[in-house]
Amino acid sequence: MTSAPDQKHFELGQLAAFKPLYLNLRSKDSFPEGERPYFSPEAERLLLTAGESSNVVGLTTGKIPVIPAPGVLDPRLVTEIEELVAEGLLLVIPRIYSQKNTGELEVMLLALGCKSSKKGGLENVREVFFQIVRKSANAIRNFEITSNNEKGIELNEVLYSLSEGVNPHLKIEVSDISRQLLNKIQHRNLVSRELIDDYYNLIHSFIQEEAILTKTFTCGYIHVPDQDADTLFKQVAELYEKRVVPKLVLENPKLAEQLISLREAVLSGETAIPNMDPMMIRKSIFSEEFAKLTHLSGDEGPYPDFFRLARVITEKSLESDLFIKGARERSVENGLKKVVLEGKGTLERYMSLSIGRDLPLDSDVAKSIQQDPSLLSYVYYGPEGPELFLCPWDRALVKSILRELALKYSFNNLTSLSFLLLLFKNKDKLLSLISDPGAEEDFKTLGYSCLAHTFPWYRRLAFFVGMNGGILSGIFRELGEISYRLMGEKLKYEEKIDTIKKKLRQELIVEVRELLDSILEK
């Protein structure tokens, strides 16, 4: 049986603080004059070679010295190596590797040394130590992926067995190959128990960091292929609701309230509903629930392993959804920018998109466009929802759009009003633009066409007879008031979205309550 999946492991952030005493090697120049111990020529050559090659180049070229097996090594040299280790001049560490011909895993011992107490000598030792452990972890990972076939692991069958609370039937017995290999080390007196334990934990930390394998109690390491995640998630969701939850709740009715509290806790966070896609929301919720249920169901055995695998499958499926969503949005954004920036006609390059119809409510495209310095944009919050208007920031083009809108529209309309608001939002560019008399006249004409109904009668009369000297300030004032009112519409819209999310939260809580009630009523 494999060892616990939740053995001590090191998080990425903890590795920076991982500085055990055995990594603090001493170099020849670290001893006071006359106090440095000396050894036989063979031991001195080993120490010199270890110091010279204990770096990434030495590891890559295979120059780090290998400690031979006891039968090959002179017992007197073994004693001297023990003394070198005791003096802190040498560090002997394992290296797990795969034999090229057979693919079988073996373990060798490497000797590390510190060339100098200066010039980053200890950092070189530390770096090469981690590189060796990573290479061992890679060998274990590749072996375990291959072993999945030898064990006869079929993920859909494994999930079904675990959902029944039964250990899956495997062709071969599960074993902890890394522990077995580290226990095979022959020169046990050269490698401390602390180093062996740290080495073992680091191997599994690096494997978990890659998220290629998932460690379980019942099956050892299991590989979940990315391409199978969506299909497996459908099975996981069905097994969870129709088999696992009913069995666990019937065995322990108190778990029902824990499940409800868990769902409420998961949905209480600000990021609990990151988008408006129902399936992605469900996957996000399940991922967190599965993580907590692993421990609620006892950590060891079939059910915790079901939740371990279910979480990995769900997260991989969610990552796939997010990747596809992001790719689609990038495609939309790139296509949109291409039309706007490279389009032929003038007005065709002033575009609008309805957020909620043309773009998803949670789309990042609108945010990206508003942050793009090559574009001018404005989001108009109307009764039908927000609409994104945009055009390139090209002085000559903006003047042409202004001219064509002024000629085309002599009445209030959203296209013209949104363009005025877009310019008003970018006041520095607007003021520079209307320093041109022609552009100023077009701006006044377009502004009056859209906003005349808000002006007092005498200002309309003055404009009619050609006395439009004060019309610019009137347009600015009215655009300011409209912008202020639209801020209120934006707040109403955001409240509406919050209400939808709250309702969705409540429905998801009611859903789990109804499921549990139906189970307990049987």
Side-chain angles (χ1 to χ4, degrees):
M1 185 63 63
T2 187
S3 63
D6 298 318
Q7 84 275 339
K8 174 186 174 184
H9 67 277
F10 299 90
E11 301 293 342
L12 280 177
Q14 293 177 318
L15 291 182
F18 179 74
K19 295 181 179 179
L21 290 177
Y22 55 75
L23 286 181
N24 292 336
L25 289 184
R26 303 177 74 181
S27 60
K28 293 180 181 180
D29 61 6
S30 66
F31 287 86
E33 188 174 353
E35 294 186 17
R36 195 279 214 195
Y38 285 88
F39 303 89
S40 69
E42 192 174 1
E44 287 290 335
R45 281 196 299 273
L46 174 64
L47 184 58
L48 177 64
T49 305
E52 292 283 349
S53 60
S54 291
N55 48 57
V56 175
V57 173
L59 178 61
T60 305
T61 55
K63 292 183 178 179
I64 296 178
V66 177
I67 305 294
V72 178
L73 204 59
D74 186 326
R76 288 174 296 180
L77 181 57
V78 173
T79 302
E80 285 193 288
I81 294 174
E82 289 178 13
E83 292 177 17
L84 286 168
V85 170
E87 289 287 346
L89 287 164
L90 203 67
L91 178 67
V92 177
I93 71 167
R95 162 76 192 278
I96 295 170
Y97 66 99
S98 174
Q99 290 188 345
K100 290 182 179 179
N101 296 333
T102 65
E104 293 295 315
L105 293 181
E106 291 293 343
V107 62
M108 66 171 73
L109 292 179
L110 301 178
L112 302 184
C114 182
K115 181 178 180 181
S116 172
S117 59
K118 304 170 185 177
K119 300 179 182 179
L122 286 178
E123 282 306 310
N124 284 337
V125 172
R126 176 182 162 79
E127 183 180 5
V128 80
F129 172 81
F130 281 130
Q131 289 285 348
I132 290 169
V133 181
R134 279 192 183 276
K135 285 181 178 292
S136 296
N138 292 344
I140 296 287
R141 178 245 291 149
N142 294 338
F143 179 85
E144 290 289 355
I145 291 174
T146 303
S147 296
N148 269 220
N149 295 328
E150 295 174 2
K151 293 176 191 173
I153 289 179
E154 294 291 339
L155 270 171
N156 56 340
E157 295 177 9
V158 168
L159 289 167
Y160 186 85
S161 295
L162 295 175
S163 72
E164 292 286 312
V166 176
N167 288 358
H169 175 71
L170 304 177
K171 292 179 181 178
I172 59 175
E173 185 179 353
V174 176
S175 61
D176 188 341
I177 186 66
S178 55
R179 181 62 77 189
Q180 289 176 1
L181 288 165
L182 292 175
N183 286 339
K184 280 176 61 177
I185 292 174
Q186 294 176 320
H187 292 290
R188 302 295 298 187
N189 50 340
L190 300 182
V191 189
S192 71
R193 183 75 252 173
E194 180 190 5
L195 188 150
I196 293 292
D197 290 341
D198 285 346
Y199 200 96
Y200 175 82
N201 291 327
L202 283 167
I203 282 176
H204 294 290
S205 295
F206 290 146
I207 291 175
Q208 289 182 50
E209 171 193 316
E210 290 182 320
I212 295 173
L213 296 172
T214 303
K215 195 169 190 186
T216 66
F217 275 90
T218 55
C219 302
Y221 275 116
I222 291 183
H223 178 224
V224 178
D226 292 351
Q227 65 271 21
D228 297 342
D230 288 341
T231 302
L232 290 169
F233 173 75
K234 294 175 184 176
Q235 182 187 6
V236 162
E238 184 174 352
L239 291 173
Y240 174 56
E241 294 183 343
K242 294 184 178 180
R243 291 185 178 276
V244 178
V245 171
K247 284 179 176 291
L248 289 177
V249 169
L250 288 175
E251 289 175 10
N252 179 14
K254 289 183 179 179
L255 185 62
E257 281 304 316
Q258 288 179 303
L259 285 169
I260 293 169
S261 298
L262 179 56
R263 177 67 60 92
E264 289 174 339
V266 168
L267 288 168
S268 65
E270 288 296 319
T271 58
I273 301 183
N275 56 64
M276 302 300 286
D277 183 297
M279 184 54 72
M280 290 174 71
I281 291 169
R282 188 170 295 278
K283 289 177 183 179
S284 180
I285 291 169
F286 277 1
S287 175
E288 290 197 50
E289 288 185 350
F290 293 154
K292 291 181 171 63
L293 283 166
T294 301
H295 301 294
L296 279 177
S297 56
D299 277 330
E300 298 185 27
Y303 289 129
D305 279 351
F306 174 85
F307 291 126
R308 284 187 180 92
L309 288 170
R311 183 188 184 189
V312 170
I313 289 165
T314 304
E315 287 179 349
K316 283 178 178 281
S317 181
L318 182 58
E319 285 171 7
S320 174
D321 290 348
L322 290 170
F323 177 82
I324 292 170
K325 178 177 180 287
R328 285 174 179 165
E329 292 199 350
R330 284 191 297 274
S331 177
V332 169
E333 183 178 349
N334 292 337
L336 185 63
K337 287 182 177 179
K338 185 175 179 65
V339 171
V340 169
L341 294 171
E342 303 174 17
K344 300 296 182 184
T346 299
L347 289 183
E348 284 77 6
R349 296 176 71 184
Y350 178 50
M351 296 187 65
S352 69
L353 292 169
S354 172
I355 298 175
R357 186 180 67 241
D358 301 323
L359 294 173
L361 292 172
D362 59 325
S363 172
D364 289 329
V365 172
K367 294 177 186 174
S368 177
I369 285 173
Q370 291 178 84
Q371 294 168 358
D372 191 329
S374 68
L375 300 172
L376 296 179
S377 61
Y378 184 80
V379 179
Y380 182 90
Y381 288 87
E384 301 299 320
E387 189 136 357
L388 174 66
F389 291 86
L390 69 151
C391 71
W393 169 233
D394 177 284
R395 187 183 178 88
L397 176 66
V398 172
K399 286 168 67 176
S400 297
I401 294 173
L402 195 56
R403 167 61 60 88
E404 292 203 19
L405 288 176
L407 292 173
K408 184 174 182 178
Y409 296 106
S410 58
F411 54 89
N412 182 26
N413 63 93
L414 182 57
T415 301
S416 298
L417 178 60
S418 63
F419 192 69
L420 290 169
L421 289 166
L422 177 149
L423 293 175
F424 186 72
K425 172 189 168 188
N426 298 275
K427 291 187 186 68
D428 55 335
K429 293 182 173 62
L430 172 59
L431 293 174
S432 171
L433 192 73
I434 61 176
S435 63
D436 178 279
E440 180 184 8
E441 195 59 35
D442 289 335
F443 182 80
K444 288 178 182 178
T445 301
L446 187 63
Y448 182 80
S449 298
C450 279
L451 306 171
H453 63 285
T454 66
F455 294 168
W457 66 270
Y458 55 83
R459 182 160 290 161
R460 293 199 300 271
L461 178 61
F463 186 84
F464 181 73
V465 299
M467 300 171 62
N468 58 2
I471 198 72
L472 193 59
S473 60
I475 292 172
F476 280 176
R477 182 167 53 252
E478 187 58 32
L479 289 175
E481 291 180 6
I482 292 172
S483 297
Y484 182 76
R485 287 200 301 272
L486 289 176
M487 285 177 62
E489 294 300 319
K490 178 184 178 183
L491 291 174
K492 288 180 184 178
Y493 172 76
E494 289 172 349
E495 288 173 1
K496 178 182 175 182
I497 296 299
D498 285 341
T499 301
I500 292 172
K501 288 187 174 182
K502 286 176 183 176
K503 184 179 179 183
L504 186 54
R505 283 189 181 96
Q506 195 57 41
E507 287 175 356
L508 289 165
I509 291 169
V510 169
E511 174 189 280
V512 75
R513 283 185 183 276
E514 290 178 348
L515 171 65
L516 295 169
D517 287 344
S518 67
I519 293 169
L520 294 171
E521 286 172 2
K522 290 180 181 179

